[in-house]
Amino acid sequence: MFDIDVWQEIFATIKKNKLRTFLTGFSVAWGIFMLMILLGSGNGLQNGVRTQFASNSVNMMWLWAGETSMPYQGLKEGRSVKFNNADYTFLKGMNLDLELVSSRYYLPGNIVYTYKNEYGTFETSSCHPSLKLMGNMKVTSGRFINDLDINDYRKVIVIGDNVRLALFKDVDPLGEYINLNNVPFKVVGVIHDKGRRNDDERTSYIPISTAQRIFNGADRVHTFAVTTKMVTTVEEADSITADVRKAMALRHNFDPKDKRAMGSFNLLAMYIRTMKIFQAIKIFVWIIGIGTLIAGIVGVSNIMLILVKERTREIGIRKAIGATPGSVIGLVLLESILITTVAGYIGLLFGIGLMEAVNYGLEQAIGSGEGERIFFRNPTVDFTTAITAMVILIVSGALAGYLPARKAANVKPIEALRND
Amino acid sequence: MIQIKDLHKSYEMGHNSLHVLKGLHLDIEEGEFVSIMGSSGSGKSTLLNILGILDDYDRGTYYLGGKLIQGLNETKAALTRNEMIGFIFQSFNLISFKNAMENVALPLYYQKISRKKRNQIALEYLDRLGLKEWARHLPSELSGGQKQRVAIARALISQPRIILADEPTGALDSATSLEVMEILKEINDQGKTVIIVTHEHDIAAMTKKIIKLKDGVIEEVIKNGELLAFKNRVSTE
């Protein structure tokens, strides 16, 4: 089948009908081009949303204490729930698929930072060392809070990049002391909180134990940030939330259904829901894309039918001198597959090329700091999808050629060769 | 070589059935040079199509080279045609985008002979027909006589047992017609059975046996010795 004569014949017919072949091929190329653009855009949107999620680990969950709003076991509503260090130990020790736990004590009032003659008010957060992993924080120099800091109530601070710029300018902040409300803290690290917006980079972190001791917190904790087991369904994620709520309700005597006694937010459940929407979008895109492709294929089929009709005489000659129906079918099928595959490949290249160009532009924008709010990232199509599209093309080429090929195989030499 | 007994063939034309061949008997020996004549509607084209396995028949038997040709499927019919029969057509039926050599080599392509080898054989045949210099030319660059010679080379290349020619000179002027008939005669001299369908008496008269068809049966068979008388008869008509 794959010998030079077959190709020679195919190219001869293509050459004879250049414009027609081009138009046919164009419809297929257009179909695949649109498919690539749609898929790429879908991916871009999904990646954009994923990037927004990426400011934290997607399996994160927050718990915050509030005031009860339902009576529970003979107790009135309106009681405030107070977390403490024991809850931290409990959460860490309980086998509830929680992997990392960090607690936070809110520092009272505005904290004024002073370093030599520079000063400013910045957000200060207290935490455990594991927050660094949860928040996807990047330590640009020095280190983050560690367990020794917690155990020894060390007065150390990890500052945001903006704090460094505001207070230190060109001085290396590591080892320097900043006064927080006149209490000196040693700078041990600078972080760049990658996923966050610029404002949030002002946040600095101190060990929770130190915060509680210096800012009169006793053993109080305001919020917990935990990571949960990576599950794949919303139901599983929700059941983890329910388990945690139940355990905490038991410890603090409130109704597990009481959302105001303890607030909770499970990012993973939301993440899974969002990604499900994108899966639906993807299916939708494929349906549209394949619809467009079918229009192209019908075009190819149509052209091949006309071609077979025009070549009836030639096919008749071939059959008279010994061409089997099989060889005639092969000829038509191969031509159809060739047109769809080549045209489709060109469409594929243009589609991918365009999306890569868009991606390049986006990267430039993001790189220059302008793209922080761009909801569209890496709008490209992966290799597997491209291969799938290619396979679909070849199959559709064969489908497009099938009817015309059968028609060609049924050409009767006597009718084809009749002198008229 | 060819034995046909009680051959019937009719065509369906809407509700009517057109009975074309009505119990035809025909024997052609190996090495004969036969022409089939008849007015239009006599059934000569139908007979040629059946002989060439291009069409099926309704009743009777047809043996080609000792083999019963009946109810062959398309693939088998194609293979038998390729192996046993060489066709020459009135309108040459060369493939327009292939040069002379490739046209001649085409039957060998369907025998799965390598490109190099079949082109070499095609050149030999073209050489025999005096067309070696024209091997690389497309049919559109050849004269009518040259085209028919290319077609003859194509018919010969698969070394068939019989050559079937349908009005081989129909599209040629008389000088070229003579030339083509000379070639066919030479082919016959080399031992091949040649059957031509024609309505031209002087062409028919150059063969060794004339079969006249009328209304789907053989009306008259004129053998070698009587050809001269036939010629005279025709010229006085």
Side-chain angles (χ1 to χ4, degrees), chain A residues 21-65:
Chain A
T21 310
F22 168 77
L23 289 175
T24 315
F26 181 78
S27 66
V28 173
W30 184 251
I32 205 88
F33 177 75
M34 289 309 291
L35 180 66
M36 287 300 119
I37 300 276
L38 286 170
L39 282 176
S41 308
N43 279 346
L45 215 55
Q46 185 169 13
N47 290 334
V49 171
R50 200 175 265 153
T51 314
Q52 300 294 323
F53 272 103
S55 60
N56 294 104
S57 300
V58 292
N59 55 342
M60 237 176 143
M61 183 169 145
W62 288 271
L63 305 173
W64 58 95

mmCIF file of all heavy atoms in Angstrom, chain A residues 21-65:
data_model
loop_
_atom_site.group_PDB
_atom_site.id
_atom_site.type_symbol
_atom_site.label_atom_id
_atom_site.label_comp_id
_atom_site.label_asym_id
_atom_site.label_seq_id
_atom_site.Cartn_x
_atom_site.Cartn_y
_atom_site.Cartn_z
ATOM 1 N N THR A 21 -8.693 21.134 -3.123
ATOM 2 C CA THR A 21 -8.035 20.424 -2.030
ATOM 3 C C THR A 21 -7.734 21.383 -0.891
ATOM 4 O O THR A 21 -7.921 21.060 0.285
ATOM 5 C CB THR A 21 -6.724 19.791 -2.533
ATOM 6 O OG1 THR A 21 -7.005 19.069 -3.709
ATOM 7 C CG2 THR A 21 -6.138 18.872 -1.481
ATOM 8 N N PHE A 22 -7.293 22.595 -1.278
ATOM 9 C CA PHE A 22 -6.959 23.582 -0.250
ATOM 10 C C PHE A 22 -8.184 23.931 0.588
ATOM 11 O O PHE A 22 -8.132 23.944 1.818
ATOM 12 C CB PHE A 22 -6.387 24.847 -0.901
ATOM 13 C CG PHE A 22 -6.297 26.003 0.055
ATOM 14 C CD1 PHE A 22 -5.279 26.044 1.003
ATOM 15 C CD2 PHE A 22 -7.236 27.020 0.041
ATOM 16 C CE1 PHE A 22 -5.207 27.084 1.908
ATOM 17 C CE2 PHE A 22 -7.174 28.061 0.942
ATOM 18 C CZ PHE A 22 -6.155 28.097 1.876
ATOM 19 N N LEU A 23 -9.301 24.174 -0.086
ATOM 20 C CA LEU A 23 -10.516 24.566 0.636
ATOM 21 C C LEU A 23 -10.985 23.442 1.556
ATOM 22 O O LEU A 23 -11.391 23.677 2.690
ATOM 23 C CB LEU A 23 -11.623 24.953 -0.347
ATOM 24 C CG LEU A 23 -11.380 26.273 -1.076
ATOM 25 C CD1 LEU A 23 -12.459 26.518 -2.109
ATOM 26 C CD2 LEU A 23 -11.325 27.440 -0.080
ATOM 27 N N THR A 24 -10.901 22.237 1.032
ATOM 28 C CA THR A 24 -11.295 21.091 1.854
ATOM 29 C C THR A 24 -10.410 20.996 3.075
ATOM 30 O O THR A 24 -10.874 20.872 4.212
ATOM 31 C CB THR A 24 -11.126 19.787 1.054
ATOM 32 O OG1 THR A 24 -11.644 19.992 -0.229
ATOM 33 C CG2 THR A 24 -11.822 18.651 1.735
ATOM 34 N N GLY A 25 -9.107 21.034 2.792
ATOM 35 C CA GLY A 25 -8.150 20.939 3.888
ATOM 36 C C GLY A 25 -8.362 22.063 4.880
ATOM 37 O O GLY A 25 -8.286 21.865 6.092
ATOM 38 N N PHE A 26 -8.701 23.238 4.358
ATOM 39 C CA PHE A 26 -8.870 24.384 5.239
ATOM 40 C C PHE A 26 -9.992 24.145 6.246
ATOM 41 O O PHE A 26 -9.866 24.485 7.422
ATOM 42 C CB PHE A 26 -9.173 25.641 4.410
ATOM 43 C CG PHE A 26 -9.330 26.876 5.233
ATOM 44 C CD1 PHE A 26 -8.201 27.518 5.728
ATOM 45 C CD2 PHE A 26 -10.577 27.377 5.552
ATOM 46 C CE1 PHE A 26 -8.319 28.641 6.509
ATOM 47 C CE2 PHE A 26 -10.706 28.504 6.348
ATOM 48 C CZ PHE A 26 -9.575 29.144 6.822
ATOM 49 N N SER A 27 -11.080 23.534 5.790
ATOM 50 C CA SER A 27 -12.195 23.316 6.712
ATOM 51 C C SER A 27 -11.771 22.384 7.842
ATOM 52 O O SER A 27 -12.164 22.573 8.991
ATOM 53 C CB SER A 27 -13.420 22.787 5.965
ATOM 54 O OG SER A 27 -13.154 21.508 5.446
ATOM 55 N N VAL A 28 -10.962 21.383 7.500
ATOM 56 C CA VAL A 28 -10.480 20.475 8.543
ATOM 57 C C VAL A 28 -9.503 21.204 9.462
ATOM 58 O O VAL A 28 -9.587 21.127 10.695
ATOM 59 C CB VAL A 28 -9.798 19.244 7.909
ATOM 60 C CG1 VAL A 28 -9.142 18.398 8.972
ATOM 61 C CG2 VAL A 28 -10.805 18.425 7.149
ATOM 62 N N ALA A 29 -8.590 21.964 8.833
ATOM 63 C CA ALA A 29 -7.592 22.687 9.628
ATOM 64 C C ALA A 29 -8.286 23.659 10.582
ATOM 65 O O ALA A 29 -7.909 23.795 11.745
ATOM 66 C CB ALA A 29 -6.635 23.440 8.699
ATOM 67 N N TRP A 30 -9.322 24.318 10.055
ATOM 68 C CA TRP A 30 -10.063 25.279 10.872
ATOM 69 C C TRP A 30 -10.709 24.579 12.063
ATOM 70 O O TRP A 30 -10.665 25.081 13.193
ATOM 71 C CB TRP A 30 -11.126 25.970 10.008
ATOM 72 C CG TRP A 30 -11.874 27.027 10.740
ATOM 73 C CD1 TRP A 30 -13.163 26.978 11.148
ATOM 74 C CD2 TRP A 30 -11.364 28.283 11.176
ATOM 75 N NE1 TRP A 30 -13.488 28.123 11.811
ATOM 76 C CE2 TRP A 30 -12.401 28.952 11.846
ATOM 77 C CE3 TRP A 30 -10.117 28.914 11.073
ATOM 78 C CZ2 TRP A 30 -12.246 30.207 12.404
ATOM 79 C CZ3 TRP A 30 -9.968 30.169 11.624
ATOM 80 C CH2 TRP A 30 -11.005 30.802 12.274
ATOM 81 N N GLY A 31 -11.283 23.413 11.788
ATOM 82 C CA GLY A 31 -11.922 22.646 12.866
ATOM 83 C C GLY A 31 -10.936 22.333 13.975
ATOM 84 O O GLY A 31 -11.199 22.582 15.154
ATOM 85 N N ILE A 32 -9.788 21.850 13.594
ATOM 86 C CA ILE A 32 -8.827 21.430 14.611
ATOM 87 C C ILE A 32 -8.212 22.654 15.286
ATOM 88 O O ILE A 32 -7.922 22.648 16.472
ATOM 89 C CB ILE A 32 -7.753 20.499 13.989
ATOM 90 C CG1 ILE A 32 -7.162 19.587 15.068
ATOM 91 C CG2 ILE A 32 -6.664 21.233 13.303
ATOM 92 C CD1 ILE A 32 -7.908 18.323 15.255
ATOM 93 N N PHE A 33 -8.062 23.730 14.496
ATOM 94 C CA PHE A 33 -7.538 24.984 15.046
ATOM 95 C C PHE A 33 -8.459 25.481 16.163
ATOM 96 O O PHE A 33 -8.023 25.804 17.272
ATOM 97 C CB PHE A 33 -7.444 26.005 13.906
ATOM 98 C CG PHE A 33 -6.980 27.367 14.320
ATOM 99 C CD1 PHE A 33 -5.645 27.596 14.614
ATOM 100 C CD2 PHE A 33 -7.875 28.421 14.384
ATOM 101 C CE1 PHE A 33 -5.221 28.855 14.982
ATOM 102 C CE2 PHE A 33 -7.460 29.685 14.760
ATOM 103 C CZ PHE A 33 -6.125 29.896 15.059
ATOM 104 N N MET A 34 -9.766 25.496 15.863
ATOM 105 C CA MET A 34 -10.735 25.952 16.862
ATOM 106 C C MET A 34 -10.710 25.050 18.083
ATOM 107 O O MET A 34 -10.780 25.518 19.223
ATOM 108 C CB MET A 34 -12.155 25.975 16.268
ATOM 109 C CG MET A 34 -12.393 27.056 15.256
ATOM 110 S SD MET A 34 -11.901 28.687 15.819
ATOM 111 C CE MET A 34 -13.125 28.972 17.082
ATOM 112 N N LEU A 35 -10.597 23.762 17.837
ATOM 113 C CA LEU A 35 -10.571 22.809 18.957
ATOM 114 C C LEU A 35 -9.390 23.119 19.877
ATOM 115 O O LEU A 35 -9.523 23.155 21.099
ATOM 116 C CB LEU A 35 -10.480 21.374 18.423
ATOM 117 C CG LEU A 35 -10.455 20.263 19.469
ATOM 118 C CD1 LEU A 35 -11.764 20.204 20.225
ATOM 119 C CD2 LEU A 35 -10.181 18.917 18.831
ATOM 120 N N MET A 36 -8.241 23.380 19.242
ATOM 121 C CA MET A 36 -7.038 23.666 20.032
ATOM 122 C C MET A 36 -7.198 24.964 20.822
ATOM 123 O O MET A 36 -6.816 25.061 21.979
ATOM 124 C CB MET A 36 -5.804 23.764 19.122
ATOM 125 C CG MET A 36 -5.337 22.441 18.581
ATOM 126 S SD MET A 36 -4.897 21.287 19.895
ATOM 127 C CE MET A 36 -6.048 19.988 19.598
ATOM 128 N N ILE A 37 -7.769 25.991 20.155
ATOM 129 C CA ILE A 37 -7.963 27.278 20.827
ATOM 130 C C ILE A 37 -8.898 27.105 22.024
ATOM 131 O O ILE A 37 -8.638 27.589 23.124
ATOM 132 C CB ILE A 37 -8.577 28.314 19.842
ATOM 133 C CG1 ILE A 37 -7.666 28.523 18.664
ATOM 134 C CG2 ILE A 37 -8.899 29.617 20.554
ATOM 135 C CD1 ILE A 37 -6.579 29.492 18.847
ATOM 136 N N LEU A 38 -9.998 26.379 21.785
ATOM 137 C CA LEU A 38 -10.977 26.186 22.857
ATOM 138 C C LEU A 38 -10.363 25.415 24.013
ATOM 139 O O LEU A 38 -10.472 25.802 25.182
ATOM 140 C CB LEU A 38 -12.199 25.435 22.325
ATOM 141 C CG LEU A 38 -13.144 26.247 21.432
ATOM 142 C CD1 LEU A 38 -14.164 25.341 20.776
ATOM 143 C CD2 LEU A 38 -13.832 27.324 22.250
ATOM 144 N N LEU A 39 -9.678 24.318 23.668
ATOM 145 C CA LEU A 39 -9.078 23.501 24.730
ATOM 146 C C LEU A 39 -8.017 24.295 25.475
ATOM 147 O O LEU A 39 -7.930 24.244 26.706
ATOM 148 C CB LEU A 39 -8.455 22.230 24.134
ATOM 149 C CG LEU A 39 -9.426 21.114 23.762
ATOM 150 C CD1 LEU A 39 -8.673 19.972 23.101
ATOM 151 C CD2 LEU A 39 -10.147 20.601 24.993
ATOM 152 N N GLY A 40 -7.215 25.027 24.698
ATOM 153 C CA GLY A 40 -6.154 25.822 25.315
ATOM 154 C C GLY A 40 -6.730 26.873 26.249
ATOM 155 O O GLY A 40 -6.260 27.060 27.376
ATOM 156 N N SER A 41 -7.803 27.555 25.793
ATOM 157 C CA SER A 41 -8.410 28.581 26.637
ATOM 158 C C SER A 41 -8.985 27.962 27.899
ATOM 159 O O SER A 41 -8.840 28.506 29.000
ATOM 160 C CB SER A 41 -9.527 29.293 25.880
ATOM 161 O OG SER A 41 -9.043 29.744 24.654
ATOM 162 N N GLY A 42 -9.630 26.798 27.723
ATOM 163 C CA GLY A 42 -10.171 26.095 28.893
ATOM 164 C C GLY A 42 -9.074 25.793 29.885
ATOM 165 O O GLY A 42 -9.194 26.055 31.087
ATOM 166 N N ASN A 43 -7.965 25.285 29.356
ATOM 167 C CA ASN A 43 -6.826 24.981 30.230
ATOM 168 C C ASN A 43 -6.312 26.237 30.905
ATOM 169 O O ASN A 43 -5.955 26.224 32.081
ATOM 170 C CB ASN A 43 -5.688 24.356 29.412
ATOM 171 C CG ASN A 43 -5.917 22.879 29.173
ATOM 172 O OD1 ASN A 43 -6.767 22.279 29.817
ATOM 173 N ND2 ASN A 43 -5.175 22.312 28.255
ATOM 174 N N GLY A 44 -6.250 27.330 30.105
ATOM 175 C CA GLY A 44 -5.725 28.584 30.641
ATOM 176 C C GLY A 44 -6.555 29.067 31.815
ATOM 177 O O GLY A 44 -6.033 29.456 32.850
ATOM 178 N N LEU A 45 -7.877 29.002 31.644
ATOM 179 C CA LEU A 45 -8.778 29.433 32.706
ATOM 180 C C LEU A 45 -8.599 28.553 33.939
ATOM 181 O O LEU A 45 -8.508 29.035 35.070
ATOM 182 C CB LEU A 45 -10.213 29.329 32.187
ATOM 183 C CG LEU A 45 -11.191 30.382 32.662
ATOM 184 C CD1 LEU A 45 -10.664 31.771 32.367
ATOM 185 C CD2 LEU A 45 -12.536 30.183 31.979
ATOM 186 N N GLN A 46 -8.519 27.250 33.674
ATOM 187 C CA GLN A 46 -8.372 26.311 34.786
ATOM 188 C C GLN A 46 -7.050 26.551 35.523
ATOM 189 O O GLN A 46 -7.022 26.607 36.755
ATOM 190 C CB GLN A 46 -8.414 24.884 34.244
ATOM 191 C CG GLN A 46 -8.394 23.837 35.340
ATOM 192 C CD GLN A 46 -8.702 22.452 34.808
ATOM 193 O OE1 GLN A 46 -8.697 22.230 33.602
ATOM 194 N NE2 GLN A 46 -8.969 21.529 35.709
ATOM 195 N N ASN A 47 -5.989 26.738 34.723
ATOM 196 C CA ASN A 47 -4.692 26.976 35.359
ATOM 197 C C ASN A 47 -4.694 28.280 36.141
ATOM 198 O O ASN A 47 -4.082 28.383 37.200
ATOM 199 C CB ASN A 47 -3.573 27.002 34.310
ATOM 200 C CG ASN A 47 -3.333 25.625 33.725
ATOM 201 O OD1 ASN A 47 -3.610 24.624 34.376
ATOM 202 N ND2 ASN A 47 -2.833 25.574 32.506
ATOM 203 N N GLY A 48 -5.406 29.291 35.567
ATOM 204 C CA GLY A 48 -5.500 30.575 36.256
ATOM 205 C C GLY A 48 -6.143 30.411 37.622
ATOM 206 O O GLY A 48 -5.630 30.897 38.635
ATOM 207 N N VAL A 49 -7.259 29.705 37.648
ATOM 208 C CA VAL A 49 -7.971 29.492 38.911
ATOM 209 C C VAL A 49 -7.110 28.671 39.863
ATOM 210 O O VAL A 49 -7.021 28.944 41.054
ATOM 211 C CB VAL A 49 -9.325 28.811 38.651
ATOM 212 C CG1 VAL A 49 -9.973 28.395 39.953
ATOM 213 C CG2 VAL A 49 -10.234 29.747 37.884
ATOM 214 N N ARG A 50 -6.421 27.681 39.289
ATOM 215 C CA ARG A 50 -5.557 26.840 40.110
ATOM 216 C C ARG A 50 -4.462 27.688 40.754
ATOM 217 O O ARG A 50 -4.097 27.485 41.903
ATOM 218 C CB ARG A 50 -4.952 25.740 39.239
ATOM 219 C CG ARG A 50 -4.449 24.566 40.037
ATOM 220 C CD ARG A 50 -3.975 23.467 39.113
ATOM 221 N NE ARG A 50 -4.996 22.470 38.877
ATOM 222 C CZ ARG A 50 -5.062 21.718 37.783
ATOM 223 N NH1 ARG A 50 -4.186 21.894 36.825
ATOM 224 N NH2 ARG A 50 -5.996 20.817 37.663
ATOM 225 N N THR A 51 -3.948 28.664 39.979
ATOM 226 C CA THR A 51 -2.914 29.542 40.522
ATOM 227 C C THR A 51 -3.454 30.349 41.698
ATOM 228 O O THR A 51 -2.751 30.583 42.683
ATOM 229 C CB THR A 51 -2.399 30.498 39.432
ATOM 230 O OG1 THR A 51 -2.155 29.748 38.264
ATOM 231 C CG2 THR A 51 -1.130 31.197 39.865
ATOM 232 N N GLN A 52 -4.712 30.779 41.553
ATOM 233 C CA GLN A 52 -5.307 31.531 42.652
ATOM 234 C C GLN A 52 -5.380 30.660 43.909
ATOM 235 O O GLN A 52 -5.115 31.119 45.011
ATOM 236 C CB GLN A 52 -6.716 32.008 42.274
ATOM 237 C CG GLN A 52 -6.758 32.916 41.057
ATOM 238 C CD GLN A 52 -6.056 34.246 41.288
ATOM 239 O OE1 GLN A 52 -6.131 34.805 42.376
ATOM 240 N NE2 GLN A 52 -5.351 34.738 40.284
ATOM 241 N N PHE A 53 -5.720 29.402 43.704
ATOM 242 C CA PHE A 53 -5.772 28.478 44.834
ATOM 243 C C PHE A 53 -4.385 28.238 45.409
ATOM 244 O O PHE A 53 -4.223 27.954 46.588
ATOM 245 C CB PHE A 53 -6.343 27.125 44.387
ATOM 246 C CG PHE A 53 -7.832 27.056 44.467
ATOM 247 C CD1 PHE A 53 -8.617 27.152 43.336
ATOM 248 C CD2 PHE A 53 -8.447 26.884 45.695
ATOM 249 C CE1 PHE A 53 -9.987 27.094 43.412
ATOM 250 C CE2 PHE A 53 -9.824 26.814 45.781
ATOM 251 C CZ PHE A 53 -10.595 26.920 44.642
ATOM 252 N N ALA A 54 -3.376 28.367 44.534
ATOM 253 C CA ALA A 54 -2.031 27.943 44.915
ATOM 254 C C ALA A 54 -1.391 28.846 45.959
ATOM 255 O O ALA A 54 -0.310 28.564 46.443
ATOM 256 C CB ALA A 54 -1.134 27.875 43.684
ATOM 257 N N SER A 55 -2.078 29.956 46.355
ATOM 258 C CA SER A 55 -1.501 30.768 47.417
ATOM 259 C C SER A 55 -1.508 29.985 48.728
ATOM 260 O O SER A 55 -0.830 30.340 49.674
ATOM 261 C CB SER A 55 -2.279 32.068 47.564
ATOM 262 O OG SER A 55 -3.612 31.781 47.886
ATOM 263 N N ASN A 56 -2.293 28.937 48.757
ATOM 264 C CA ASN A 56 -2.286 28.033 49.902
ATOM 265 C C ASN A 56 -2.264 26.612 49.380
ATOM 266 O O ASN A 56 -2.526 26.383 48.214
ATOM 267 C CB ASN A 56 -3.553 28.217 50.739
ATOM 268 C CG ASN A 56 -3.597 29.586 51.381
ATOM 269 O OD1 ASN A 56 -4.325 30.452 50.936
ATOM 270 N ND2 ASN A 56 -2.779 29.788 52.394
ATOM 271 N N SER A 57 -1.964 25.672 50.277
ATOM 272 C CA SER A 57 -2.147 24.289 49.888
ATOM 273 C C SER A 57 -3.633 24.095 49.654
ATOM 274 O O SER A 57 -4.452 24.628 50.394
ATOM 275 C CB SER A 57 -1.697 23.359 51.018
ATOM 276 O OG SER A 57 -0.345 23.589 51.297
ATOM 277 N N VAL A 58 -3.993 23.335 48.629
ATOM 278 C CA VAL A 58 -5.417 23.219 48.323
ATOM 279 C C VAL A 58 -6.156 22.398 49.370
ATOM 280 O O VAL A 58 -7.367 22.492 49.489
ATOM 281 C CB VAL A 58 -5.660 22.617 46.921
ATOM 282 C CG1 VAL A 58 -5.204 23.569 45.856
ATOM 283 C CG2 VAL A 58 -5.028 21.258 46.787
ATOM 284 N N ASN A 59 -5.404 21.606 50.144
ATOM 285 C CA ASN A 59 -6.092 20.785 51.142
ATOM 286 C C ASN A 59 -6.121 21.470 52.511
ATOM 287 O O ASN A 59 -6.054 20.833 53.551
ATOM 288 C CB ASN A 59 -5.436 19.411 51.250
ATOM 289 C CG ASN A 59 -3.955 19.495 51.543
ATOM 290 O OD1 ASN A 59 -3.351 20.541 51.338
ATOM 291 N ND2 ASN A 59 -3.382 18.417 52.036
ATOM 292 N N MET A 60 -6.211 22.793 52.488
ATOM 293 C CA MET A 60 -6.178 23.529 53.745
ATOM 294 C C MET A 60 -7.568 23.707 54.332
ATOM 295 O O MET A 60 -8.571 23.741 53.629
ATOM 296 C CB MET A 60 -5.591 24.908 53.498
ATOM 297 C CG MET A 60 -4.390 25.142 54.367
ATOM 298 S SD MET A 60 -3.674 26.683 53.985
ATOM 299 C CE MET A 60 -3.193 27.170 55.612
ATOM 300 N N MET A 61 -7.583 23.832 55.656
ATOM 301 C CA MET A 61 -8.858 24.053 56.328
ATOM 302 C C MET A 61 -8.607 25.023 57.472
ATOM 303 O O MET A 61 -7.559 24.954 58.126
ATOM 304 C CB MET A 61 -9.350 22.707 56.845
ATOM 305 C CG MET A 61 -10.672 22.743 57.507
ATOM 306 S SD MET A 61 -11.191 21.045 57.749
ATOM 307 C CE MET A 61 -12.004 21.253 59.276
ATOM 308 N N TRP A 62 -9.524 25.957 57.675
ATOM 309 C CA TRP A 62 -9.373 26.928 58.762
ATOM 310 C C TRP A 62 -10.496 26.728 59.779
ATOM 311 O O TRP A 62 -11.635 26.433 59.397
ATOM 312 C CB TRP A 62 -9.437 28.355 58.238
ATOM 313 C CG TRP A 62 -8.220 28.757 57.462
ATOM 314 C CD1 TRP A 62 -7.086 29.312 57.977
ATOM 315 C CD2 TRP A 62 -8.021 28.674 56.060
ATOM 316 N NE1 TRP A 62 -6.177 29.566 56.982
ATOM 317 C CE2 TRP A 62 -6.735 29.172 55.781
ATOM 318 C CE3 TRP A 62 -8.798 28.200 54.997
ATOM 319 C CZ2 TRP A 62 -6.207 29.228 54.501
ATOM 320 C CZ3 TRP A 62 -8.274 28.250 53.719
ATOM 321 C CH2 TRP A 62 -6.993 28.756 53.470
ATOM 322 N N LEU A 63 -10.147 26.899 61.030
ATOM 323 C CA LEU A 63 -11.150 26.861 62.094
ATOM 324 C C LEU A 63 -11.007 28.149 62.876
ATOM 325 O O LEU A 63 -9.878 28.581 63.149
ATOM 326 C CB LEU A 63 -10.886 25.678 63.041
ATOM 327 C CG LEU A 63 -10.778 24.279 62.412
ATOM 328 C CD1 LEU A 63 -10.350 23.278 63.483
ATOM 329 C CD2 LEU A 63 -12.101 23.876 61.806
ATOM 330 N N TRP A 64 -12.104 28.809 63.190
ATOM 331 C CA TRP A 64 -12.006 29.989 64.030
ATOM 332 C C TRP A 64 -13.106 29.981 65.099
ATOM 333 O O TRP A 64 -14.212 29.502 64.838
ATOM 334 C CB TRP A 64 -11.985 31.274 63.224
ATOM 335 C CG TRP A 64 -13.175 31.496 62.337
ATOM 336 C CD1 TRP A 64 -14.267 32.211 62.644
ATOM 337 C CD2 TRP A 64 -13.357 31.008 61.007
ATOM 338 N NE1 TRP A 64 -15.136 32.209 61.606
ATOM 339 C CE2 TRP A 64 -14.611 31.474 60.567
ATOM 340 C CE3 TRP A 64 -12.588 30.223 60.133
ATOM 341 C CZ2 TRP A 64 -15.114 31.189 59.314
ATOM 342 C CZ3 TRP A 64 -13.105 29.938 58.885
ATOM 343 C CH2 TRP A 64 -14.335 30.418 58.469
ATOM 344 N N ALA A 65 -12.742 30.466 66.243
ATOM 345 C CA ALA A 65 -13.665 30.423 67.372
ATOM 346 C C ALA A 65 -14.630 31.589 67.298
ATOM 347 O O ALA A 65 -14.277 32.672 66.826
ATOM 348 C CB ALA A 65 -12.892 30.473 68.682
#
